Amino acid sequence: MNKSYAGSLRARRTLIYICFGILTLLSLLPFAIMLADSTRSVVQLNTGVSLLPGSSLGHNIKVLLSYDFNLGHGMFNSAFIAVVSTALSVYCSALAAYALVAYDFKAKRLVYAFVIALIMIPGQVSMVGFYQFMIQLNLLDNYIPLILPGMCAPASIFFLVEYMGTVYNKDYADSARLDGASELKIFHSVMLPMMKPGLATMAIFGFVFSWNNFLMPLMLISDKNLYTLPMMVQTMTALGAGGHTVEWGAVYSGLSITIAPIIIVYLILSRFIVGGGTAGGVKG
């Protein structure tokens, strides 16, 4: 009986590993195709999809730079928006989550229900009104409309409330209060370290969303000096609308460059998720 159960457990585990392996390959396939296409010429791209790299990477990079593709400038603009927006989003969402979990007040359920309701509203619904509001505030060609909304991120608040509900221990906060710690000090010194895995998860999602955000910057920014990296890549395809051939190999090279910071951020922050999960498992 024990041997049969052990064999069944190994079979299930193997099946799970196989499923995860297939899902991982399917997730990586688009990136592999994009990287391969960034090394191929226009003629090779027209022949169809291939995972085999070409020999036109140098030519594609040269074409990329000939389109006035200021890599350093675009990278700085995108990084500035993504880093500041993500930092504000994670910090303010954690502060709101702490208030909703640690304190009891009359409108607590109403506030949380309002946060959940905001998640249900598609962002596209408010774009026109937001654009008109920014015109009235004279904030076009400005990074403020791309950064400040990150302070109110309903999805991040919802996630951190649910996560904090699993790690919050009232005794830690009470002990800190007895030692004379202020509420902000308790939040910074006690609660934030406990929330590291959740904060890292939201930081990854927030950074990816802000870095890849294209439609909102396209609506608000017309000054080329303020273009983000995705906007600079898009200008290459727009040039093809005038009858010129679009160098898609160069476009894929630009897209490959844009995803590099996302991968770096993920590799940096993922260790906090793994470390936090390991610490939680040891504690349990």
Side-chain angles (χ1 to χ4, degrees), residues 3-284:
K3 290 183 179 180
S4 176
Y5 177 76
S8 176
L9 186 62
R10 282 195 298 269
R12 291 179 183 179
R13 187 175 299 173
T14 302
L15 182 61
I16 291 173
Y17 287 153
I18 292 174
C19 291
F20 278 137
I22 294 174
L23 291 175
T24 300
L25 290 176
L26 291 176
S27 300
L28 294 176
L29 184 61
F31 296 101
I33 293 174
M34 181 178 64
L35 291 175
D37 287 346
S38 67
T39 65
R40 304 172 69 198
S41 65
V42 176
V43 176
Q44 291 173 329
L45 288 171
N46 289 332
T47 60
V49 178
S50 175
L51 290 173
L52 298 176
S55 58
S56 301
L57 178 61
H59 171 75
N60 292 336
I61 297 295
K62 185 178 179 181
V63 173
L64 190 67
L65 297 176
S66 69
Y67 276 104
D68 195 21
F69 189 83
N70 194 330
L71 176 61
H73 198 64
M75 190 79 73
F76 175 82
N77 292 342
S78 292
F80 177 77
I81 296 172
V83 170
V84 178
S85 176
T86 302
L88 284 175
S89 175
V90 171
Y91 178 79
C92 294
S93 298
L95 201 60
Y98 175 58
L100 289 171
V101 172
Y103 302 115
D104 290 322
F105 49 93
K106 290 183 178 180
K108 178 176 179 178
R109 291 186 178 179
L110 182 62
V111 171
Y112 191 49
F114 180 70
V115 170
I116 296 176
L118 289 176
I119 300 176
M120 308 297 179
I121 302 175
Q124 293 81 356
V125 173
S126 61
M127 277 187 175
V128 176
F130 183 76
Y131 176 73
Q132 292 176 343
F133 185 46
M134 292 303 104
I135 292 177
Q136 294 176 0
L137 294 178
N138 196 25
L139 286 178
L140 297 182
D141 285 331
N142 198 308
Y143 288 154
I144 292 178
L146 301 175
I147 294 175
L148 286 187
M151 296 178 65
C152 179
S156 297
I157 296 174
F158 172 76
F159 175 85
L160 291 177
V161 166
E162 296 300 317
Y163 177 80
M164 193 174 183
T166 64
V167 299
Y168 176 71
N169 192 327
K170 189 174 182 295
D171 295 336
Y172 292 156
D174 290 340
S175 299
R177 291 188 184 100
L178 291 175
D179 292 336
S182 64
E183 294 300 316
L184 279 178
K185 187 173 182 180
I186 294 172
F187 172 71
H188 291 130
S189 303
V190 180
M191 298 304 159
L192 283 184
M194 293 171 58
M195 298 171 66
K196 272 185 180 179
L199 297 177
T201 302
M202 285 297 96
I204 292 172
F205 281 108
F207 185 88
V208 170
F209 173 80
S210 183
W211 184 273
N212 290 334
N213 191 9
F214 172 73
L215 185 56
M216 190 60 71
L218 185 65
M219 291 175 57
L220 300 174
I221 295 176
S222 58
D223 186 355
K224 289 187 177 182
N225 292 324
L226 300 177
Y227 273 15
T228 60
L229 206 56
M231 293 177 69
M232 289 185 175
V233 175
Q234 188 272 341
T235 57
M236 299 175 59
T237 60
L239 290 174
H244 302 285
T245 302
V246 179
E247 291 278 355
W248 287 106
V251 174
Y252 287 123
S253 298
L255 292 174
S256 299
I257 294 172
T258 62
I259 67 170
I262 297 176
I263 297 175
I264 294 172
V265 168
Y266 173 77
L267 293 176
I268 293 173
L269 295 177
S270 61
R271 64 190 182 94
F272 292 104
I273 301 175
V274 176
T278 304
V282 174
K283 183 178 178 182

